[in-house]
Amino acid sequence: MPLLDKKPLIRGGGGGSRHLEASMSDPGAPLVGILGTGDFSRSLARRLVASGYQLVVGSRNPKRSVALFPEEAEVTTQMEAASQARLVFVALFPEHYSTLAGLKEPLAGKVLVDVSNSVRLNLAGPSNAELLADMFPESSVVKAFNTVSAWTLQMGAMDGSRQVLLCGDSRQSKEAVAQVCRSAGFLPVDAGLLSVSLEVENQPLHLFPSWRVPVLATLALFAFFYLYNFAHGVLHPFVTKGERHFHKMPIDTVNVTLPSVALVLLALVYLPGLLAAGLQLRRGTKYSRFPAWLDRWLLRRKQLGLCSFACAVLHAVYSLAIPMTRSHRYGLLNDAYKQVKAGPAVSWDEEQVWRMEMYVSVGIMALGVLSLLAVSSLPTVSNSLNWREFSFIQSSLGYVALVLGTLHTLLFGWDRAFDGAHYHFYLPPTFMLVLALPCAVLLGRGALALPCAAPRLARIRRGWEEKCGRHIRFTMPGGGGGGGSCNGQSLEDMTDV
């Protein structure tokens, strides 16, 4: 079959056109059928015709539907379409499956491709594909294309997800559907037996499942640090001096909160890796399963990092917007008036100038490195990197970003940690709380780099195990002693922890 053309099948608003930018189907090409004339059916028809297939479409009202499909497709009755094609796409809503009851005989022994999705999550089952299989026991049902939208079918696989999940009980049937996927420019992925179809059908209905915990963690951290900064910068002056600084809540307090959240989230990206390394060192093996919570944490590091990047970008935008606020301009005029009254001696503070220059410079560098981490996490970029390049950016440069972010916070704090005037309500300044976790992560990373830990961890990650008080010694086949032993036990007799 010819490969998919990178051009979309439609242009602008010409969705009703029956002419394609592909050549007509080869008369010797395989014949594929579609039951149904909805939006997905029409998009699928255009893609199959453009991929070189002969197509027959079954409709309850062929005369009304013929103008909706390409000229190369034959639009006929459902009975005729089911009788002609060996592979038939069932593009109907599940509640309309009953209308196909009269097609059991012509569909017997054929491959039915169920492309339907449920309106809401179905946790109890059975799936739509299993219901279709029960209706047509003599047919082979394959679940496929339900994760591909009609827009992706029309615009081409280059403009959307290329993966098509397949599940079914017949290997030959799945291979036939997989061939259609490849011919249409998609990447078929075998998801298993038809019993997995419920999970495949539920997948398009999940709303950012891998983002739920990172987003909640970001919101929780933001709420905590915002209230903490509110108590320090707004509530304390009002309670102790009667000063009203509530105008700081929309911008100033938010701007101090965002970098706090960004740095803590960045530390949370690298903390689970340290915990995993510590468990491996303690157990002396890499073949022991991590706790479930640590597994989930490790799988959410990308999302945590992107949330950290978003907070850092917002912090930069808020910082640039502060000079445009009326309150900031009023503060500048007020400070200038005080300096004029006090004399030129207080117009320049060398120490504070250097602190601010280094603080801003390090912050810009931290944001730049963090931007590189975010860009490299995009699939289009990460797929162009080999493993060494990707790990260098995400690990080595990631720790560089964490160091720069920590230094940025230290320069912000400067000597305020030793000034009792900044301990409002007997609470330490915000930056001291923020620095606790990043400093702990950096110290932990430094401890793993020590000569007493790094070589041992490297050996464990290369497959060595410390059982029976010593390393398992591997030998080549035929070298005497078998594949490896520990106090006379072969590797096959040993059980992983």
Side-chain angles (χ1 to χ4, degrees):
M1 287 296 150
L3 293 178
L4 174 67
D5 193 347
K6 294 184 179 180
K7 296 182 180 179
L9 296 182
I10 60 175
R11 289 182 178 179
S17 174
R18 298 171 57 192
H19 297 278
L20 298 176
E21 294 182 3
S23 60
M24 294 183 62
S25 302
D26 185 356
L31 178 63
V32 176
I34 300 178
L35 298 179
T37 56
D39 295 335
F40 189 88
S41 176
R42 296 195 294 268
S43 300
L44 180 62
R46 291 175 177 273
R47 176 56 52 207
L48 292 175
V49 170
S51 302
Y53 283 94
Q54 296 187 70
L55 184 65
V56 56
V57 180
S59 173
R60 287 175 292 180
N61 193 338
K63 294 182 179 180
R64 184 183 64 181
S65 304
V66 65
L68 302 176
F69 288 86
E71 291 180 349
E72 294 82 359
E74 178 188 356
V75 181
T76 181
T77 63
Q78 291 183 342
M79 180 63 72
E80 293 182 2
S83 302
Q84 295 182 41
R86 297 293 302 172
L87 189 149
V88 180
F89 287 86
V90 181
L92 299 175
F93 290 109
E95 55 267 28
H96 298 158
Y97 283 172
S98 59
T99 62
L100 304 178
L103 303 180
K104 289 185 178 181
E105 183 177 347
L107 291 177
K110 298 183 179 181
V111 179
L112 302 184
V113 185
D114 179 43
V115 300
S116 67
N117 279 317
S118 300
V119 178
R120 59 183 62 89
L121 284 174
N122 180 9
L123 302 179
S127 66
N128 298 334
E130 290 171 322
L131 291 175
L132 190 64
D134 292 337
M135 288 184 58
F136 298 93
E138 297 183 5
S139 303
S140 180
V141 177
V142 177
K143 186 73 182 183
F145 281 95
N146 68 298
T147 57
V148 179
S149 66
W151 173 259
T152 301
L153 286 171
Q154 289 190 14
M155 300 306 295
M158 304 300 176
D159 202 38
S161 175
R162 298 186 65 244
Q163 286 191 348
V164 173
L165 300 180
L166 309 176
C167 57
D169 295 332
S170 171
R171 180 178 301 179
Q172 292 79 6
S173 299
K174 286 193 289 187
E175 180 56 34
V177 179
Q179 179 58 41
V180 176
C181 293
R182 285 189 286 266
S183 299
F186 294 93
L187 179 64
V189 177
D190 193 341
L193 300 177
L194 195 63
S195 57
V196 188
S197 59
L198 182 62
E199 180 180 348
V200 175
E201 287 179 6
N202 286 332
Q203 182 173 337
L205 301 177
H206 288 292
L207 183 63
F208 303 114
S210 60
W211 284 88
R212 189 171 303 148
V213 174
V215 170
L216 289 177
T218 303
L219 294 177
L221 287 171
F222 183 88
F224 171 76
F225 283 114
Y226 185 87
L227 293 175
Y228 199 89
N229 290 320
F230 172 80
H232 267 277
V234 179
L235 188 60
H236 182 267
F238 179 75
V239 172
T240 58
K241 303 177 183 178
E243 298 178 356
R244 292 179 172 272
H245 295 305
F246 293 97
H247 63 273
K248 293 184 177 180
M249 294 175 60
I251 294 183
D252 286 5
T253 307
V254 172
N255 190 43
V256 178
T257 301
L258 286 171
S260 305
V261 178
L263 187 57
V264 172
L265 286 175
L266 187 59
L268 290 175
V269 172
Y270 295 98
L271 180 58
L274 299 180
L275 296 177
L279 284 175
Q280 290 175 340
L281 285 172
R282 180 185 176 188
R283 297 170 176 175
T285 178
K286 72 171 185 176
Y287 298 108
S288 179
R289 290 293 302 270
F290 295 135
W293 59 268
L294 185 56
D295 271 333
R296 291 192 294 268
W297 193 352
L298 289 167
L299 293 174
R300 299 295 182 268
R301 289 180 294 178
K302 174 183 176 180
Q303 289 78 8
L304 288 170
L306 290 176
C307 288
S308 172
F309 172 69
C311 291
V313 171
L314 288 175
H315 170 55
V317 174
Y318 268 86
S319 299
L320 294 174
I322 284 178
M324 297 184 293
T325 61
R326 178 179 292 271
S327 59
H328 181 75
R329 295 197 296 268
Y330 175 81
L332 291 177
L333 293 174
N334 193 36
D335 291 340
Y337 176 74
K338 291 179 180 179
Q339 289 181 4
V340 169
K341 291 186 64 177
V346 295
S347 61
W348 182 269
D349 189 336
E350 188 78 17
E351 179 182 351
Q352 290 301 319
V353 170
W354 273 104
R355 181 187 75 85
M356 182 58 65
E357 296 292 324
M358 292 187 295
Y359 164 73
V360 174
S361 177
V362 173
I364 293 174
M365 289 189 290
L367 181 60
V369 178
L370 198 58
S371 302
L372 184 59
L373 296 177
V375 171
S376 65
S377 67
L378 298 176
T380 53
V381 178
S382 60
N383 290 340
S384 64
L385 303 173
N386 61 39
W387 174 246
R388 185 176 182 183
E389 294 167 344
F390 182 78
S391 61
F392 172 77
I393 294 175
Q394 294 294 328
S395 181
S396 301
L397 291 186
Y399 275 103
V400 171
L402 186 60
V403 170
L404 291 174
T406 304
L407 184 58
H408 179 66
T409 308
L410 284 170
L411 290 171
F412 172 81
W414 202 246
D415 57 355
R416 300 177 187 178
F418 310 103
D419 187 355
H422 291 91
Y423 286 76
H424 301 159
F425 296 125
Y426 302 100
L427 298 175
T430 307
F431 73 90
M432 294 185 64
L433 292 181
V434 175
L435 287 172
L437 189 60
C439 289
V441 171
L442 292 176
L443 289 175
R445 184 66 185 88
L448 291 178
L450 294 175
C452 59
R456 181 166 170 255
L457 181 61
R459 289 196 297 270
I460 290 174
R461 288 180 171 175
R462 289 181 62 85
W464 292 82
E465 293 188 80
E466 293 183 350
K467 294 183 178 180
C468 310
R470 61 193 178 100
H471 291 299
I472 295 177
R473 185 168 298 173
F474 294 89
T475 58
M476 295 296 292
S485 64
C486 180
N487 287 349
Q489 283 186 309
S490 66
L491 289 179
E492 290 77 6
D493 298 330
M494 298 173 59
T495 304
D496 291 338
V497 178

